[in-house]
Amino acid sequence: MEKVSVGIIGMGDMGKMYTRRLSDAGWRVNACDKPDNYDSLKEQFATRNNVFIYPNGHLVSRVSDYIIYSVEAEAIDRIVAQYGPSTKQGAIVGGQTSCKAPEIAAFEKHLPSDVEIVSCHSLHGPNVDPQGQPLVIIKHRATERSLDLVEKILSCFGSKHVHLTADEHDNITADTQAVTHAAFLSMGTAWYANEQFPWEINRYVGGIENVKINVTLRIYSNKWHVYAGLAILNPSAKKQIRQYATSVTELFKLMLGSHREELSRRIKAAGAAVFGPEHGDKDLLLRDEVLDRFSLGKVPLEKTPNNHLSLLAMVDCWCELGIVPYDHMICSTPVRMRPGNANIATTDGASRQLFRLWLGVTEYLFRKPLLLEEVINTAIEDNTFRSDDLEFTFAARGWSDCVSFGDFSSYRDRFEKIQAYFAPRFPEATRVGNEMMKTILEKTEKQ
């Protein structure tokens, strides 16, 4: 391997994954974390002859040719301000945060002018095999030679490289993740507020409910800052989360007021805008036989009709913001086309799998006319889910307020409190969720 060394500042889960993968490929890796973790990291990586653990980022910055800041988005400015001035002359610097606006701003503000900037973002978690997954590369201030070097270094992941600007990255991640995260975070909050474990309640088992429960638990099983950074630091995400809360509130008021015609008209107009005017179920991503297979509880013989406020609001929000989710996919591949538009495709890798779950349940609902009519009837005539919907509305507005105020502390408190409530079921939910995504991916690869 050529005499180029890679620096990793921040040895959380992703930092450690990068360190292992890069060192396995033969690169020298200089890494550091908080000073308190120095001794434990030295012990953890003692058997790797090409990994060198340093006490702080100053030392990593002075000896590394490509430096990756693998830290929380909230902390990026403070940490780059601390270690950036020590960057080796002529080095390349990048970051691994989920929101690039504050990251690039920090680099421009605190890095010496002779330092080049090529950032990145692996669109998967630390425990996912990066082979074939999307890896965004952002050439912000760099020569082609430096970009080539970064691509060569990162090629050991076997990921699919996607070249975007920082703005494009943030717009796409907001369009494909902000509203869906808000929806499932709010579901978990509502179940927590009602002291419910939904898989133990017949009305929440089977069909669409399985996806809602599995994705909600999957999100809460991760670290809070993964979602907080995207939501709070991305201006586009703030706007979308606020609109989602508004959509939830307005639709819930229509349900409470028994305004059937207005509710029906608004829902169907949103569905036509997002999924196209033809609501056939010929090529649905999800079907009953798939949905019913992946349950954390026993599927009842007869399912309880649900008004699915969370999903109706998701599509209403996309419509109000002019977002067609099929149009904003990273790493587009011609695997699954938007109905009526042969030029638009969905994303690849882990991001695609999760988004297919989110998109699949809304598509399943809106492209089955009889089911959509049942949902509308239930929303007006059936009070079974009314108390749940009330808590869900409170939750959606609460998450929106938290994001609008830029309150990381409140976001963390809310998230971790609910996380602890559901924690005992995370292992099983992760197993079932992985099986569900694998099945859906295999099915759609054949389409």
Side-chain angles (χ1 to χ4, degrees):
M1 189 62 64
E2 60 186 273
K3 294 181 179 179
V4 171
S5 63
V6 181
I8 305 290
I9 296 178
M11 289 291 279
D13 293 338
M14 287 300 288
K16 289 177 182 177
M17 186 274 282
Y18 263 56
T19 297
R20 294 188 184 101
R21 292 277 177 174
L22 292 168
S23 62
D24 285 344
W27 298 99
R28 172 184 168 126
V29 179
N30 309 307
C32 72
D33 200 73
K34 298 175 182 178
D36 292 346
N37 297 330
Y38 173 66
D39 291 333
S40 62
L41 283 173
K42 279 187 68 72
E43 181 178 352
Q44 188 174 347
F45 288 91
T47 60
R48 293 178 178 263
N49 295 328
N50 57 341
V51 175
F52 299 84
I53 304 298
Y54 288 88
N56 58 61
H58 293 295
L59 299 176
V60 170
S61 296
R62 292 308 299 162
V63 299
S64 303
D65 299 290
Y66 179 44
I67 302 152
I68 301 173
Y69 283 81
S70 186
V71 301
E72 299 171 14
E74 177 192 12
I76 188 70
D77 184 77
R78 173 175 54 83
I79 294 176
V80 176
Q82 183 176 4
Y83 300 130
S86 298
T87 304
K88 179 180 179 180
Q89 184 176 10
I92 311 165
V93 173
Q96 245 283 61
T97 65
S98 59
C99 184
K100 294 305 178 185
E103 176 182 294
I104 295 298
F107 290 158
E108 290 181 337
K109 182 179 180 181
H110 302 298
L111 293 178
S113 59
D114 60 12
V115 171
E116 299 186 66
I117 302 171
V118 181
S119 213
C120 63
H121 185 197
S122 290
L123 299 181
H124 57 82
N127 298 318
V128 174
D129 184 352
Q131 183 73 34
Q133 307 287 10
L135 172 56
V136 175
I137 297 178
I138 298 170
K139 177 191 172 187
H140 182 71
R141 187 177 80 194
T143 63
E144 286 297 319
R145 181 178 180 181
S146 293
L147 176 63
D148 290 342
L149 175 59
V150 171
E151 291 210 87
K152 182 177 181 180
I153 292 171
L154 298 179
S155 66
C156 63
F157 291 95
S159 298
K160 182 176 180 179
H161 292 182
V162 185
H163 293 272
L164 298 172
T165 66
D167 286 343
E168 288 171 340
H169 170 277
D170 286 354
N171 288 337
I172 290 173
T173 53
D175 287 350
T176 57
Q177 298 179 44
V179 177
T180 46
H181 289 168
F184 292 109
L185 287 171
S186 298
M187 288 182 212
T189 305
W191 290 327
Y192 168 80
N194 281 332
E195 299 182 345
Q196 295 171 336
F197 293 106
W199 53 85
E200 296 177 352
I201 304 171
N202 280 349
R203 69 175 186 268
Y204 276 119
V205 178
I208 291 176
E209 309 300 343
N210 287 347
V211 176
K212 289 159 68 174
I213 292 170
N214 277 304
V215 175
T216 297
L217 293 186
R218 188 179 188 88
I219 286 175
Y220 276 107
S221 69
N222 289 317
K223 292 184 177 179
W224 68 276
H225 66 78
V226 173
Y227 307 103
L230 168 64
I232 294 176
L233 297 176
N234 189 327
S236 296
K238 282 187 176 183
K239 176 183 177 182
Q240 292 174 23
I241 293 169
R242 188 183 308 114
Q243 177 57 52
Y244 182 72
T246 299
S247 292
V248 170
T249 302
E250 292 179 354
L251 292 179
F252 185 53
K253 287 180 178 178
L254 291 177
M255 294 177 186
L256 287 177
S258 299
H259 300 297
R260 180 190 294 273
E261 290 187 10
E262 186 177 352
L263 178 66
S264 179
R265 182 172 60 252
R266 180 165 175 168
I267 288 171
K268 291 178 180 179
V274 173
F275 299 109
E278 298 181 6
H279 288 291
D281 65 354
K282 180 181 177 182
D283 296 315
L284 288 176
L285 291 175
L286 301 177
R287 291 189 176 275
D288 293 317
E289 62 269 20
V290 174
L291 291 169
D292 285 338
R293 281 175 53 189
F294 303 100
S295 175
L296 294 178
K298 184 178 180 181
V299 179
L301 296 177
E302 186 173 343
K303 297 176 184 175
T304 303
N306 190 339
N307 62 53
H308 294 299
L309 173 59
S310 59
L311 302 181
L312 298 180
M314 190 181 298
V315 176
D316 184 81
C317 174
W318 283 332
C319 176
E320 291 295 320
L321 293 171
I323 294 172
V324 178
Y326 298 97
D327 293 358
H328 298 283
M329 300 286 87
I330 299 173
C331 309
S332 293
T333 58
V335 175
R336 175 75 174 87
M337 300 297 180
R338 175 189 170 196
N341 191 335
N343 298 318
I344 300 170
T346 58
T347 188
D348 202 359
S351 176
R352 178 181 67 186
Q353 295 175 43
L354 275 177
F355 191 78
R356 286 185 178 204
L357 282 176
W358 299 332
L359 186 57
V361 290
T362 56
E363 185 186 63
Y364 177 91
L365 173 59
F366 276 82
R367 292 181 59 202
K368 298 188 76 168
L370 292 179
L371 177 58
L372 191 59
E373 287 298 330
E374 178 187 279
V375 165
I376 294 171
N377 289 335
T378 302
I380 299 299
E381 300 171 1
D382 192 335
N383 291 327
T384 303
F385 287 88
R386 202 66 88 210
S387 64
D388 296 7
D389 291 338
L390 177 63
E391 291 293 351
F392 179 79
T393 303
F394 289 156
R397 294 167 70 95
W399 282 110
S400 177
D401 288 344
C402 188
V403 169
S404 295
F405 296 149
D407 192 341
F408 279 93
S409 178
S410 293
Y411 193 105
R412 180 175 187 173
D413 288 344
R414 289 170 63 89
F415 188 98
E416 291 185 340
K417 180 170 59 177
I418 298 161
Q419 183 181 60
Y421 179 73
F422 288 116
R425 296 305 290 265
F426 286 160
E428 184 180 0
T430 298
R431 178 185 60 78
V432 173
N434 286 342
E435 291 176 3
M436 177 183 284
M437 286 195 293
K438 183 172 182 283
T439 299
I440 292 169
L441 183 60
E442 289 175 349
K443 174 184 180 297
T444 53
E445 289 286 0
K446 298 175 183 177
Q447 293 181 352

